[in-house]
Amino acid sequence: MRLKISLLKEPKHQELVSCVGWTTAEELYSCSDDHQIVKWNLLTSETSQIVKLPDDIYPIDLHWFPKSLGIKKQTQAESFVLTSSDGTPVYSVVWGPDSEKVLYTAGKQLIIKPLQPNAKVLQWKAHDGIILKVDWNSVNDLILSAGEDCKYKVWDSYGRPLYNSQPHEHPITSVAWAPDGELFAVGSFHTLRLCDKTGWSYALEKPNTGSIFNIAWSIDGTQIAGACGNGHVVFAHVVEQRWEWKNFQVTLTKRRTMQVRNVLNDAVDLLEFRDRVIKASLNYAHLVVSTSLQCYVFSTKNWNTPLIFDLKEGTVSLILQAERHFLLVDGGGIYLYSYEGRFISSPKFPGMRTDILNAQTVSLSNDTIAIKDKADEKIIFLFEASTGKPLGDGKLLSHKNEILEIALDQKGLTNDRKIAFIDKNRDLYITSVKRFGKEEQIIKLGTMVHTLAWSDTCNILCGLQDTRFTVWYYPNTVYVDRDILPKTLYERDASEFSKNPHIVSFVGNQVTIRRADGSLIHISISPYPGILHEYVSSSKWEDGVRLCRFVKEQTMWACLAAMAVANRDMTTAEIAYAAIGEIDKVQYINSIKDLPSKESKMAHILMFSGNIQEAEMVLLQAGLVYQAIQININLYNWERALELAVKYKTHVDTVLAYRQKFLETFGKQETNKRYLQYAEGLQIDWEKIKAKIEMEITKEREQSSSSQSSKHIGLKH
């Protein structure tokens, strides 16, 4: 990526240009110490003087209102505020993303002042020289600062340093975020630099401008204007952005031209657009491109015939893709389209602000759209992709801490859809997106996780954990058998990725990671877990076992064990658990096989996975009250066992007998009031109890065989 600079031969101002501001993507105003305000039309290359200011007014900064969020195509700012100086410099002040705080400079200090009375002011020393410029982005919530110490820095909103540049030759006089928060620009003497949000530099240009005192990005984020010390206004277009997917490489070579290269055969295609390209995304065998007025959808199988449709609203700020459809976000809303260009849905929720959404706060799968709320950052909104309506019973996903990043898994059935997220403590959690009645468990998968991604071909999750790169080959293991989760992981040292690396993509079994210096590293993970996922999704259990025997890795057997239990295939589970030496679990599975009814088997499989309440419910619904009481006795849930016995008026003596035996083993006396109450005057007769239990098991076996025979009769008819 680089900046294509354009500069007029002669400056339009006689003195230093102090500030610039865009009204539309093609119109700009500049202010100078020559007291003139000049209007620039980039389509016609014409300039005109608008206002001559009084001689004692020196403009410092210019802001147009309303601050355009790309809500409508024709939106144009109509009034502006101009700050000026009578010679006493006020260096820089900006609003916070929620407009409830201001950030300003005071010498070498940065100060964040909330507008609420008595709220705590945050202040820290940010530079070794006077701070000349600050900016605060509403999408990524990050702060930029520039100083006379010749450095620019990136901070989070708590004042923690994220990036510290090397010293430049001259003071850094300007910094500015791109509207979407993915890039920022840095200005200095004869210097214009384009940087990634993490700080590393994409491009360095050396225009003949003197110091660049102010930088303004166009509303669509495709170009910047700089106010120069020698009276010039410098313009620069962002070009040579690059997108990669499998064997395809797409490059924006000019504002309206893309080049597609197939690295397998070196075939090159040129894509021409009517208007300038604003956003693009390449994934799932499709390239989606938004221009200022239209959306183009290309298939990687045919670059010659794109599908084209007009955009409803203004500038697209985000494109997300899933296998079946893609999402466009602009200032007016969120819109889901099929790759055939058919509009599908547009989810909405109260207080929704689309201008601050990015790839970390919105996630898309084939059936679900997830959006992290900005008003309450502990909440995730979940929507059906096909209708745009809230998922399930409309319950929101709520967490105990603020959530930083969300990601939906991409494969499998809607009922099994999972969402992973990282919270502000850098803990990684997973939960089901279906929200019906009961509260879905939110389970911790890992700690100190900085970045994550799901594979696009199967539900394998990867993340960077402190000093390790971790792959969760089957994250659902936490729902099935948490004990063997560590055996289903792949881990390797991540120190080679340096500080603050970021996962760019996870395509097939290839993970791409960007290091803090901007370089890309490609990691190939084992293809076998992905093949195992495919076999299991097609219920090819024998093929899965054969694959594990061929690979001879504990990780594969552990994944197969968890997959088999999740899919109630206990024969395969027994083989897999035996292979990883979990003998006690093999014995338990064998005992499940000998149970007389399918309800009992189901209940014990649920118990195996730790779902005690569900197991109890299955037994009670099948009328197997004794069995429901017995599982609570086996787990020493004495209160619940007695509660069920009393409620269903059966086996009270059985519960009391087992309780007495339990206490005698430990040499204890009964102290529970309820047990003392029911034990009063009751004689424990073990022979009678054993006979009753035998009768229950016989009854269950008979019920099971009669239901089986009635099924066979039904089939014969």
Side-chain angles (χ1 to χ4, degrees), residues 368-399:
T368 309
I369 301 167
I371 304 169
K372 190 195 85 169
D373 187 22
K374 185 70 182 173
D376 182 351
E377 302 207 48
K378 297 176 182 177
I379 283 173
I380 299 171
F381 287 91
L382 299 162
F383 301 94
E384 270 180 17
S386 57
T387 63
K389 291 177 180 171
L391 201 66
D393 56 11
K395 260 190 188 171
L396 306 175
L397 197 164
S398 181
H399 185 51

PDB file of all heavy atoms in Angstrom, residues 368-399:
ATOM      1  N   THR A 368     -26.102 -16.679  11.036  1.00  0.00           N
ATOM      2  CA  THR A 368     -26.153 -15.778  12.192  1.00  0.00           C
ATOM      3  C   THR A 368     -25.340 -14.507  11.944  1.00  0.00           C
ATOM      4  O   THR A 368     -24.303 -14.552  11.299  1.00  0.00           O
ATOM      5  CB  THR A 368     -25.586 -16.497  13.446  1.00  0.00           C
ATOM      6  OG1 THR A 368     -26.241 -17.757  13.594  1.00  0.00           O
ATOM      7  CG2 THR A 368     -25.784 -15.674  14.706  1.00  0.00           C
ATOM      8  N   ILE A 369     -25.852 -13.387  12.479  1.00  0.00           N
ATOM      9  CA  ILE A 369     -25.091 -12.132  12.518  1.00  0.00           C
ATOM     10  C   ILE A 369     -24.941 -11.757  13.989  1.00  0.00           C
ATOM     11  O   ILE A 369     -25.921 -11.744  14.736  1.00  0.00           O
ATOM     12  CB  ILE A 369     -25.821 -10.995  11.763  1.00  0.00           C
ATOM     13  CG1 ILE A 369     -26.045 -11.369  10.288  1.00  0.00           C
ATOM     14  CG2 ILE A 369     -25.037  -9.680  11.862  1.00  0.00           C
ATOM     15  CD1 ILE A 369     -27.026 -10.461   9.565  1.00  0.00           C
ATOM     16  N   ALA A 370     -23.707 -11.480  14.422  1.00  0.00           N
ATOM     17  CA  ALA A 370     -23.451 -11.078  15.809  1.00  0.00           C
ATOM     18  C   ALA A 370     -22.852  -9.676  15.812  1.00  0.00           C
ATOM     19  O   ALA A 370     -21.970  -9.378  15.015  1.00  0.00           O
ATOM     20  CB  ALA A 370     -22.496 -12.060  16.478  1.00  0.00           C
ATOM     21  N   ILE A 371     -23.368  -8.803  16.701  1.00  0.00           N
ATOM     22  CA  ILE A 371     -22.877  -7.425  16.785  1.00  0.00           C
ATOM     23  C   ILE A 371     -22.649  -7.072  18.246  1.00  0.00           C
ATOM     24  O   ILE A 371     -23.540  -7.231  19.089  1.00  0.00           O
ATOM     25  CB  ILE A 371     -23.892  -6.425  16.165  1.00  0.00           C
ATOM     26  CG1 ILE A 371     -24.217  -6.803  14.718  1.00  0.00           C
ATOM     27  CG2 ILE A 371     -23.348  -4.997  16.236  1.00  0.00           C
ATOM     28  CD1 ILE A 371     -25.392  -6.046  14.133  1.00  0.00           C
ATOM     29  N   LYS A 372     -21.456  -6.589  18.555  1.00  0.00           N
ATOM     30  CA  LYS A 372     -21.164  -6.140  19.922  1.00  0.00           C
ATOM     31  C   LYS A 372     -21.712  -4.730  20.107  1.00  0.00           C
ATOM     32  O   LYS A 372     -21.474  -3.855  19.279  1.00  0.00           O
ATOM     33  CB  LYS A 372     -19.654  -6.157  20.159  1.00  0.00           C
ATOM     34  CG  LYS A 372     -19.283  -5.929  21.616  1.00  0.00           C
ATOM     35  CD  LYS A 372     -17.824  -5.596  21.784  1.00  0.00           C
ATOM     36  CE  LYS A 372     -17.593  -4.123  21.576  1.00  0.00           C
ATOM     37  NZ  LYS A 372     -16.259  -3.667  21.959  1.00  0.00           N
ATOM     38  N   ASP A 373     -22.435  -4.536  21.187  1.00  0.00           N
ATOM     39  CA  ASP A 373     -23.057  -3.231  21.450  1.00  0.00           C
ATOM     40  C   ASP A 373     -22.016  -2.242  21.968  1.00  0.00           C
ATOM     41  O   ASP A 373     -21.136  -2.596  22.742  1.00  0.00           O
ATOM     42  CB  ASP A 373     -24.171  -3.409  22.492  1.00  0.00           C
ATOM     43  CG  ASP A 373     -24.975  -2.136  22.690  1.00  0.00           C
ATOM     44  OD1 ASP A 373     -24.962  -1.288  21.780  1.00  0.00           O
ATOM     45  OD2 ASP A 373     -25.613  -1.992  23.741  1.00  0.00           O
ATOM     46  N   LYS A 374     -22.125  -0.995  21.528  1.00  0.00           N
ATOM     47  CA  LYS A 374     -21.199   0.041  21.997  1.00  0.00           C
ATOM     48  C   LYS A 374     -21.712   0.700  23.280  1.00  0.00           C
ATOM     49  O   LYS A 374     -20.930   1.064  24.153  1.00  0.00           O
ATOM     50  CB  LYS A 374     -21.004   1.096  20.895  1.00  0.00           C
ATOM     51  CG  LYS A 374     -19.965   2.157  21.210  1.00  0.00           C
ATOM     52  CD  LYS A 374     -18.540   1.600  21.197  1.00  0.00           C
ATOM     53  CE  LYS A 374     -17.523   2.655  21.565  1.00  0.00           C
ATOM     54  NZ  LYS A 374     -16.175   2.120  21.722  1.00  0.00           N
ATOM     55  N   ALA A 375     -23.036   0.816  23.389  1.00  0.00           N
ATOM     56  CA  ALA A 375     -23.610   1.463  24.582  1.00  0.00           C
ATOM     57  C   ALA A 375     -23.326   0.633  25.835  1.00  0.00           C
ATOM     58  O   ALA A 375     -23.031   1.170  26.894  1.00  0.00           O
ATOM     59  CB  ALA A 375     -25.111   1.654  24.396  1.00  0.00           C
ATOM     60  N   ASP A 376     -23.440  -0.697  25.719  1.00  0.00           N
ATOM     61  CA  ASP A 376     -23.099  -1.596  26.819  1.00  0.00           C
ATOM     62  C   ASP A 376     -22.182  -2.672  26.253  1.00  0.00           C
ATOM     63  O   ASP A 376     -22.636  -3.604  25.593  1.00  0.00           O
ATOM     64  CB  ASP A 376     -24.357  -2.227  27.419  1.00  0.00           C
ATOM     65  CG  ASP A 376     -24.049  -3.132  28.603  1.00  0.00           C
ATOM     66  OD1 ASP A 376     -22.855  -3.397  28.855  1.00  0.00           O
ATOM     67  OD2 ASP A 376     -24.993  -3.581  29.275  1.00  0.00           O
ATOM     68  N   GLU A 377     -20.881  -2.548  26.508  1.00  0.00           N
ATOM     69  CA  GLU A 377     -19.906  -3.419  25.852  1.00  0.00           C
ATOM     70  C   GLU A 377     -19.834  -4.821  26.437  1.00  0.00           C
ATOM     71  O   GLU A 377     -18.995  -5.613  26.043  1.00  0.00           O
ATOM     72  CB  GLU A 377     -18.524  -2.744  25.870  1.00  0.00           C
ATOM     73  CG  GLU A 377     -18.570  -1.385  25.181  1.00  0.00           C
ATOM     74  CD  GLU A 377     -17.240  -0.969  24.585  1.00  0.00           C
ATOM     75  OE1 GLU A 377     -16.623  -1.785  23.895  1.00  0.00           O
ATOM     76  OE2 GLU A 377     -16.843   0.177  24.828  1.00  0.00           O
ATOM     77  N   LYS A 378     -20.756  -5.142  27.369  1.00  0.00           N
ATOM     78  CA  LYS A 378     -20.828  -6.508  27.899  1.00  0.00           C
ATOM     79  C   LYS A 378     -21.857  -7.343  27.127  1.00  0.00           C
ATOM     80  O   LYS A 378     -22.070  -8.506  27.443  1.00  0.00           O
ATOM     81  CB  LYS A 378     -21.227  -6.467  29.385  1.00  0.00           C
ATOM     82  CG  LYS A 378     -20.215  -5.751  30.261  1.00  0.00           C
ATOM     83  CD  LYS A 378     -20.716  -5.672  31.690  1.00  0.00           C
ATOM     84  CE  LYS A 378     -19.717  -4.908  32.567  1.00  0.00           C
ATOM     85  NZ  LYS A 378     -20.214  -4.754  33.941  1.00  0.00           N
ATOM     86  N   ILE A 379     -22.497  -6.710  26.135  1.00  0.00           N
ATOM     87  CA  ILE A 379     -23.633  -7.343  25.447  1.00  0.00           C
ATOM     88  C   ILE A 379     -23.329  -7.604  23.977  1.00  0.00           C
ATOM     89  O   ILE A 379     -22.702  -6.799  23.296  1.00  0.00           O
ATOM     90  CB  ILE A 379     -24.890  -6.459  25.604  1.00  0.00           C
ATOM     91  CG1 ILE A 379     -25.478  -6.632  27.006  1.00  0.00           C
ATOM     92  CG2 ILE A 379     -25.944  -6.774  24.550  1.00  0.00           C
ATOM     93  CD1 ILE A 379     -26.609  -5.707  27.321  1.00  0.00           C
ATOM     94  N   ILE A 380     -23.789  -8.771  23.493  1.00  0.00           N
ATOM     95  CA  ILE A 380     -23.718  -9.095  22.061  1.00  0.00           C
ATOM     96  C   ILE A 380     -25.141  -9.323  21.559  1.00  0.00           C
ATOM     97  O   ILE A 380     -25.901 -10.110  22.142  1.00  0.00           O
ATOM     98  CB  ILE A 380     -22.867 -10.360  21.799  1.00  0.00           C
ATOM     99  CG1 ILE A 380     -21.423 -10.157  22.292  1.00  0.00           C
ATOM    100  CG2 ILE A 380     -22.875 -10.718  20.313  1.00  0.00           C
ATOM    101  CD1 ILE A 380     -20.578 -11.424  22.269  1.00  0.00           C
ATOM    102  N   PHE A 381     -25.520  -8.623  20.487  1.00  0.00           N
ATOM    103  CA  PHE A 381     -26.808  -8.843  19.828  1.00  0.00           C
ATOM    104  C   PHE A 381     -26.644  -9.962  18.800  1.00  0.00           C
ATOM    105  O   PHE A 381     -25.665  -9.981  18.053  1.00  0.00           O
ATOM    106  CB  PHE A 381     -27.274  -7.569  19.120  1.00  0.00           C
ATOM    107  CG  PHE A 381     -27.747  -6.489  20.042  1.00  0.00           C
ATOM    108  CD1 PHE A 381     -26.871  -5.524  20.521  1.00  0.00           C
ATOM    109  CD2 PHE A 381     -29.074  -6.432  20.447  1.00  0.00           C
ATOM    110  CE1 PHE A 381     -27.299  -4.526  21.377  1.00  0.00           C
ATOM    111  CE2 PHE A 381     -29.521  -5.440  21.308  1.00  0.00           C
ATOM    112  CZ  PHE A 381     -28.636  -4.480  21.776  1.00  0.00           C
ATOM    113  N   LEU A 382     -27.629 -10.877  18.762  1.00  0.00           N
ATOM    114  CA  LEU A 382     -27.579 -12.008  17.831  1.00  0.00           C
ATOM    115  C   LEU A 382     -28.807 -11.985  16.936  1.00  0.00           C
ATOM    116  O   LEU A 382     -29.938 -11.845  17.424  1.00  0.00           O
ATOM    117  CB  LEU A 382     -27.529 -13.324  18.618  1.00  0.00           C
ATOM    118  CG  LEU A 382     -26.298 -13.491  19.531  1.00  0.00           C
ATOM    119  CD1 LEU A 382     -26.544 -14.572  20.562  1.00  0.00           C
ATOM    120  CD2 LEU A 382     -25.061 -13.812  18.710  1.00  0.00           C
ATOM    121  N   PHE A 383     -28.593 -12.108  15.625  1.00  0.00           N
ATOM    122  CA  PHE A 383     -29.695 -12.030  14.653  1.00  0.00           C
ATOM    123  C   PHE A 383     -29.669 -13.224  13.707  1.00  0.00           C
ATOM    124  O   PHE A 383     -28.610 -13.747  13.373  1.00  0.00           O
ATOM    125  CB  PHE A 383     -29.567 -10.752  13.807  1.00  0.00           C
ATOM    126  CG  PHE A 383     -29.592  -9.480  14.606  1.00  0.00           C
ATOM    127  CD1 PHE A 383     -28.406  -8.882  15.015  1.00  0.00           C
ATOM    128  CD2 PHE A 383     -30.790  -8.883  14.956  1.00  0.00           C
ATOM    129  CE1 PHE A 383     -28.411  -7.703  15.753  1.00  0.00           C
ATOM    130  CE2 PHE A 383     -30.809  -7.703  15.695  1.00  0.00           C
ATOM    131  CZ  PHE A 383     -29.625  -7.120  16.102  1.00  0.00           C
ATOM    132  N   GLU A 384     -30.886 -13.612  13.275  1.00  0.00           N
ATOM    133  CA  GLU A 384     -31.004 -14.595  12.185  1.00  0.00           C
ATOM    134  C   GLU A 384     -30.585 -13.919  10.894  1.00  0.00           C
ATOM    135  O   GLU A 384     -31.109 -12.854  10.558  1.00  0.00           O
ATOM    136  CB  GLU A 384     -32.464 -15.037  12.041  1.00  0.00           C
ATOM    137  CG  GLU A 384     -32.843 -16.216  12.868  1.00  0.00           C
ATOM    138  CD  GLU A 384     -34.310 -16.580  12.651  1.00  0.00           C
ATOM    139  OE1 GLU A 384     -34.911 -16.130  11.652  1.00  0.00           O
ATOM    140  OE2 GLU A 384     -34.843 -17.298  13.499  1.00  0.00           O
ATOM    141  N   ALA A 385     -29.679 -14.537  10.154  1.00  0.00           N
ATOM    142  CA  ALA A 385     -29.214 -13.916   8.907  1.00  0.00           C
ATOM    143  C   ALA A 385     -30.350 -13.804   7.894  1.00  0.00           C
ATOM    144  O   ALA A 385     -30.496 -12.790   7.208  1.00  0.00           O
ATOM    145  CB  ALA A 385     -28.055 -14.718   8.324  1.00  0.00           C
ATOM    146  N   SER A 386     -31.201 -14.827   7.825  1.00  0.00           N
ATOM    147  CA  SER A 386     -32.227 -14.874   6.773  1.00  0.00           C
ATOM    148  C   SER A 386     -33.328 -13.836   6.956  1.00  0.00           C
ATOM    149  O   SER A 386     -33.941 -13.390   5.987  1.00  0.00           O
ATOM    150  CB  SER A 386     -32.849 -16.271   6.705  1.00  0.00           C
ATOM    151  OG  SER A 386     -33.389 -16.605   7.975  1.00  0.00           O
ATOM    152  N   THR A 387     -33.592 -13.402   8.213  1.00  0.00           N
ATOM    153  CA  THR A 387     -34.699 -12.461   8.462  1.00  0.00           C
ATOM    154  C   THR A 387     -34.241 -11.131   9.068  1.00  0.00           C
ATOM    155  O   THR A 387     -34.968 -10.140   9.007  1.00  0.00           O
ATOM    156  CB  THR A 387     -35.718 -13.088   9.438  1.00  0.00           C
ATOM    157  OG1 THR A 387     -35.050 -13.315  10.695  1.00  0.00           O
ATOM    158  CG2 THR A 387     -36.261 -14.404   8.896  1.00  0.00           C
ATOM    159  N   GLY A 388     -33.056 -11.123   9.686  1.00  0.00           N
ATOM    160  CA  GLY A 388     -32.599  -9.919  10.392  1.00  0.00           C
ATOM    161  C   GLY A 388     -33.253  -9.756  11.750  1.00  0.00           C
ATOM    162  O   GLY A 388     -33.055  -8.757  12.438  1.00  0.00           O
ATOM    163  N   LYS A 389     -34.078 -10.767  12.163  1.00  0.00           N
ATOM    164  CA  LYS A 389     -34.763 -10.695  13.463  1.00  0.00           C
ATOM    165  C   LYS A 389     -33.877 -11.283  14.562  1.00  0.00           C
ATOM    166  O   LYS A 389     -33.016 -12.123  14.283  1.00  0.00           O
ATOM    167  CB  LYS A 389     -36.084 -11.468  13.398  1.00  0.00           C
ATOM    168  CG  LYS A 389     -37.108 -10.785  12.502  1.00  0.00           C
ATOM    169  CD  LYS A 389     -38.371 -11.602  12.411  1.00  0.00           C
ATOM    170  CE  LYS A 389     -39.395 -10.897  11.514  1.00  0.00           C
ATOM    171  NZ  LYS A 389     -40.545 -11.757  11.226  1.00  0.00           N
ATOM    172  N   PRO A 390     -34.097 -10.863  15.825  1.00  0.00           N
ATOM    173  CA  PRO A 390     -33.303 -11.426  16.924  1.00  0.00           C
ATOM    174  C   PRO A 390     -33.396 -12.945  16.955  1.00  0.00           C
ATOM    175  O   PRO A 390     -34.453 -13.529  16.687  1.00  0.00           O
ATOM    176  CB  PRO A 390     -33.940 -10.815  18.176  1.00  0.00           C
ATOM    177  CG  PRO A 390     -34.533  -9.534  17.693  1.00  0.00           C
ATOM    178  CD  PRO A 390     -35.018  -9.815  16.299  1.00  0.00           C
ATOM    179  N   LEU A 391     -32.287 -13.590  17.291  1.00  0.00           N
ATOM    180  CA  LEU A 391     -32.192 -15.049  17.277  1.00  0.00           C
ATOM    181  C   LEU A 391     -32.912 -15.649  18.482  1.00  0.00           C
ATOM    182  O   LEU A 391     -32.917 -15.057  19.564  1.00  0.00           O
ATOM    183  CB  LEU A 391     -30.705 -15.428  17.324  1.00  0.00           C
ATOM    184  CG  LEU A 391     -30.303 -16.815  16.850  1.00  0.00           C
ATOM    185  CD1 LEU A 391     -30.558 -16.973  15.366  1.00  0.00           C
ATOM    186  CD2 LEU A 391     -28.824 -17.040  17.131  1.00  0.00           C
ATOM    187  N   GLY A 392     -33.497 -16.829  18.281  1.00  0.00           N
ATOM    188  CA  GLY A 392     -34.132 -17.561  19.384  1.00  0.00           C
ATOM    189  C   GLY A 392     -35.257 -16.774  20.022  1.00  0.00           C
ATOM    190  O   GLY A 392     -36.124 -16.220  19.344  1.00  0.00           O
ATOM    191  N   ASP A 393     -35.226 -16.671  21.357  1.00  0.00           N
ATOM    192  CA  ASP A 393     -36.295 -15.939  22.050  1.00  0.00           C
ATOM    193  C   ASP A 393     -35.926 -14.472  22.250  1.00  0.00           C
ATOM    194  O   ASP A 393     -36.528 -13.776  23.062  1.00  0.00           O
ATOM    195  CB  ASP A 393     -36.636 -16.619  23.385  1.00  0.00           C
ATOM    196  CG  ASP A 393     -35.416 -16.783  24.295  1.00  0.00           C
ATOM    197  OD1 ASP A 393     -34.375 -16.182  23.965  1.00  0.00           O
ATOM    198  OD2 ASP A 393     -35.508 -17.491  25.299  1.00  0.00           O
ATOM    199  N   GLY A 394     -34.910 -14.013  21.502  1.00  0.00           N
ATOM    200  CA  GLY A 394     -34.556 -12.594  21.539  1.00  0.00           C
ATOM    201  C   GLY A 394     -33.664 -12.190  22.692  1.00  0.00           C
ATOM    202  O   GLY A 394     -33.332 -11.025  22.861  1.00  0.00           O
ATOM    203  N   LYS A 395     -33.247 -13.197  23.503  1.00  0.00           N
ATOM    204  CA  LYS A 395     -32.370 -12.886  24.635  1.00  0.00           C
ATOM    205  C   LYS A 395     -31.002 -12.439  24.127  1.00  0.00           C
ATOM    206  O   LYS A 395     -30.460 -13.014  23.191  1.00  0.00           O
ATOM    207  CB  LYS A 395     -32.182 -14.139  25.504  1.00  0.00           C
ATOM    208  CG  LYS A 395     -33.045 -14.164  26.733  1.00  0.00           C
ATOM    209  CD  LYS A 395     -32.599 -15.299  27.636  1.00  0.00           C
ATOM    210  CE  LYS A 395     -33.568 -15.481  28.794  1.00  0.00           C
ATOM    211  NZ  LYS A 395     -33.265 -16.688  29.540  1.00  0.00           N
ATOM    212  N   LEU A 396     -30.442 -11.422  24.777  1.00  0.00           N
ATOM    213  CA  LEU A 396     -29.113 -10.959  24.405  1.00  0.00           C
ATOM    214  C   LEU A 396     -28.065 -11.841  25.080  1.00  0.00           C
ATOM    215  O   LEU A 396     -28.323 -12.439  26.115  1.00  0.00           O
ATOM    216  CB  LEU A 396     -28.914  -9.508  24.864  1.00  0.00           C
ATOM    217  CG  LEU A 396     -29.962  -8.508  24.398  1.00  0.00           C
ATOM    218  CD1 LEU A 396     -29.701  -7.144  25.020  1.00  0.00           C
ATOM    219  CD2 LEU A 396     -29.951  -8.388  22.885  1.00  0.00           C
ATOM    220  N   LEU A 397     -26.887 -11.906  24.465  1.00  0.00           N
ATOM    221  CA  LEU A 397     -25.779 -12.606  25.103  1.00  0.00           C
ATOM    222  C   LEU A 397     -25.078 -11.603  26.017  1.00  0.00           C
ATOM    223  O   LEU A 397     -24.590 -10.570  25.561  1.00  0.00           O
ATOM    224  CB  LEU A 397     -24.822 -13.124  24.019  1.00  0.00           C
ATOM    225  CG  LEU A 397     -23.812 -14.205  24.412  1.00  0.00           C
ATOM    226  CD1 LEU A 397     -23.252 -14.857  23.164  1.00  0.00           C
ATOM    227  CD2 LEU A 397     -22.678 -13.679  25.257  1.00  0.00           C
ATOM    228  N   SER A 398     -25.068 -11.893  27.294  1.00  0.00           N
ATOM    229  CA  SER A 398     -24.520 -10.941  28.265  1.00  0.00           C
ATOM    230  C   SER A 398     -23.363 -11.574  29.026  1.00  0.00           C
ATOM    231  O   SER A 398     -23.449 -12.718  29.472  1.00  0.00           O
ATOM    232  CB  SER A 398     -25.628 -10.527  29.235  1.00  0.00           C
ATOM    233  OG  SER A 398     -25.132  -9.606  30.158  1.00  0.00           O
ATOM    234  N   HIS A 399     -22.249 -10.813  29.150  1.00  0.00           N
ATOM    235  CA  HIS A 399     -21.043 -11.306  29.821  1.00  0.00           C
ATOM    236  C   HIS A 399     -20.765 -10.436  31.046  1.00  0.00           C
ATOM    237  O   HIS A 399     -21.279  -9.321  31.152  1.00  0.00           O
ATOM    238  CB  HIS A 399     -19.876 -11.263  28.823  1.00  0.00           C
ATOM    239  CG  HIS A 399     -18.598 -11.859  29.334  1.00  0.00           C
ATOM    240  ND1 HIS A 399     -18.534 -13.116  29.892  1.00  0.00           N
ATOM    241  CD2 HIS A 399     -17.324 -11.373  29.368  1.00  0.00           C
ATOM    242  CE1 HIS A 399     -17.280 -13.369  30.242  1.00  0.00           C
ATOM    243  NE2 HIS A 399     -16.530 -12.323  29.941  1.00  0.00           N
TER     244      HIS A 399
END
